[in-house]
Amino acid sequence: MGKYSKFKVLIVEDDEDDYILLEELLLEAVGDIGAITWAEDYKSAQARIANEHFDFYFLDNRLGAELGLDLIVEIKQQYETAPPIIMLSGVDDYKTDLEAMEKGADDYLIKSELTAHLLERTFRYSLKSKDLEAKLAKLAHYDGLTGLYNRSLFNELLVKTIQQSERSGQKFALVTLDLDNFKFVNDNYGHPAGDQLLTKISRRLKHSTRSSDIVARLGGDEFSLLLKDVKNDSDFVKLVQNIMAIFQEPIQVDSKSVSVTTSAGIAIFPTDAQIASELIDNSDRAMYQAKALGRNNYSFYNQKLHQVAIVKHQLELELNAAIDNNELLLHYQPIVSLSTREIISYEALLRWPDSKNGFRNTEEFIEVAEESSLILKIGDWVFQQACLQLKIWSEQGIKDRHISINVSANQFNSDDFTERVESYVKETPDLAQKLTIELTERKPLIISPTTVNRLLLLSGIGFKFSVDDFGIGHSSISYLRAFPMDSIKIDKSIIQNILKSNEDLALCTAIIALGKALSLDVIAEGVETEEIANLLNSLNCPYAQGYLYSKPMPL
Ligand code: C2E
Ligand code: CA
Ligand code: CA
């Protein structure tokens, strides 16, 4: 096989005889060329150019009323560095020749003068010059020492990232890093050592960031990063701390161990600035703030955002430790039949004891957990605890007890949710029948084939599903139609108002009727008084839960 055998060539030529001649000469010139595509007019050429990539283009200049010259722009648009483009002409016309070159053609050939030899040279030469062009483009865009993006490409990427963010609504961070003591290394160990240091730091930076992040060296000892795909502000803190951490380990330079630190400034798009130049300025300002704090510090342009992020991050660390140290507890609250007061199930509610004999606010720390992957760890633990409890009861001969478990949307949507849940009941499959999964309506699940299948699969194993906090969400009824549910829990804010508000009473009555119509169990949440319990009973609400019966308690 010849060296051009994988080449794709496009010939745009409206005269069939001319095309056949060119094809023959081309085969004679370069042997088994990969594939030659023929476009016989301007329109079909446009379509080919827009939809396919070629390694070589031949364009006849006269294409009916149109000019092949005009196709050059369209080809160039498809590439960062376009492959060779050769113009063909019936006549030797100096002006067209010049124009072709200006538009970026690589050569200009007169049809009557074509020979195999000439084609072969053109082919070889233009490929070589293209190779060089690509190398030059790389030089213009990448930092020669470290291989990171250079300032000019970084600026382009920043503008692109802003456009993407405007479309997606996602925030991103611009981080400016400046080494604190690079000058010392350079002056005392020499430039080659300085270069080595920069190269090693670059590698660590690439290593400690995700593939979607952008890392650039702007010059000297200054680096810039774009951190994208971030869900919460507290993630920014984590990512920046990862970056700061790479400076903790000394770096080996010429068998010497060198410690360097950095100062980092962070500006967030769009919170801190909406255009590139301002974002750069603000992250620079933040970097100087960090320097002023002393070496080895980072600073957010927006301090308040930083504070909130820090508090959340701190809570996350503590929660993580609490899980590992087994400090979390489950309290249980009974769900009872309104008419008989018989207990039908227990809802497991998470508790995190604080140092003052009380508990942290569950809703608050669950929210933080939901914003990170901690919710998965917590979810695992809750399921395991509940299964353990069911087994203990079963061993004690108490067989008919059920437990309800709260599962948040992020947990339910995690890729391996089904496998995880299946694994909890693997050893004792009949446990599934005793477990109800409560899914809150506050942040509704996305109704998609995946979620519906997930529910069907788990229902098939025996799990029951309940819609939590029903009545205050947005998509209540569509939800019930799309998902195979077993029960609904009327939100406590409605229940607690049914004596005072006719609207809430009407809403409650309607939900009870809806439950009956769809054969779903209905549970009233937050029942605190006998009056409310009596009213609910008279409305034929079957089940209730609330302080009237019991607060959530350890078993
Ligand atoms: P939820 O699922 O709606 O749980 C009911 C909440 O109402 C509980 O708050 C419970 O203590 C409280 N409650 C029960 N009866 C009454 C009453 O009569 N009056 C009043 N005022 N409140 C009552 P808690 O334990 O603070 O939990 C708050 C939320 O945190 C839960 O709301 C649930 O969404 C979430 N949560 C709790 N445990 C877990 C868990 O293990 N996993 C997940 N993902 N979320 C959980
Ligand atoms: Ca619940
Ligand atoms: Ca609830």
Side-chain angles (χ1 to χ4, degrees), residues 23 60 79 105 111 163 204 222 235 253 276 278 306 316 328 331-332 337 342 351 361 397 431 488 503 508 524:
E23 189 189 26
D60 185 15
Y79 303 89
K111 285 195 219 170
Q163 289 163 350
R204 286 193 187 177
E222 200 188 328
D235 289 349
V253 175
E278 260 177 50
H306 189 196
E316 234 178 85
L328 297 184
H331 279 187
Y332 292 88
S337 155
E342 217 180 326
R351 291 293 177 265
N361 185 310
L431 282 188
I488 41 189
E503 273 155 41
C508 179

Side-chain angles (χ1 to χ4, degrees), residues 9 12 38 60-61 79 95 105 115 131 138 142 153 193 243 251 259 279 322 339 346 369 383 397 424 494 525 543:
V9 176
V12 184
W38 176 31
D60 185 15
N61 193 32
Y79 303 89
K95 228 183 96 210
T115 63
D131 211 31
K138 196 164 160 57
Y142 295 88
L153 185 54
I243 292 167
I251 297 173
S259 288
L279 198 64
S339 49
Y346 291 86
F383 265 102
Y424 311 130
I494 299 173
E525 282 191 310
Y543 304 106

Side-chain angles (χ1 to χ4, degrees), residues 492 495-496 526-530 532 545-548:
K492 55 177 178 284
I495 298 301
Q496 290 174 344
V527 178
E528 293 183 6
T529 63
E530 287 290 354
I532 289 184
Q545 180 180 357
Y547 295 166
L548 173 65

Side-chain angles (χ1 to χ4, degrees), residues 330 333 347-351 360-366 370 375 378-379 382 405-409 411 438 440 442 468-469 489 491-492 496 525-528 545-548 550-552:
L330 281 183
Q333 186 179 36
E347 175 172 7
L349 292 159
L350 205 54
R351 291 293 177 265
R360 306 245 200 163
N361 185 310
T362 303
E363 230 156 319
E364 242 170 68
F365 75 77
I366 288 285
E370 273 177 25
I375 194 68
I378 292 182
V382 172
I405 289 175
N406 292 288
V407 168
S408 74
Q411 201 180 337
E438 294 192 5
T440 179
R442 264 172 295 174
D468 208 348
D469 311 315
K489 300 183 82 172
D491 191 71
K492 55 177 178 284
Q496 290 174 344
E525 282 191 310
V527 178
E528 293 183 6
Q545 180 180 357
Y547 295 166
L548 173 65
S550 165
K551 290 206 163 182

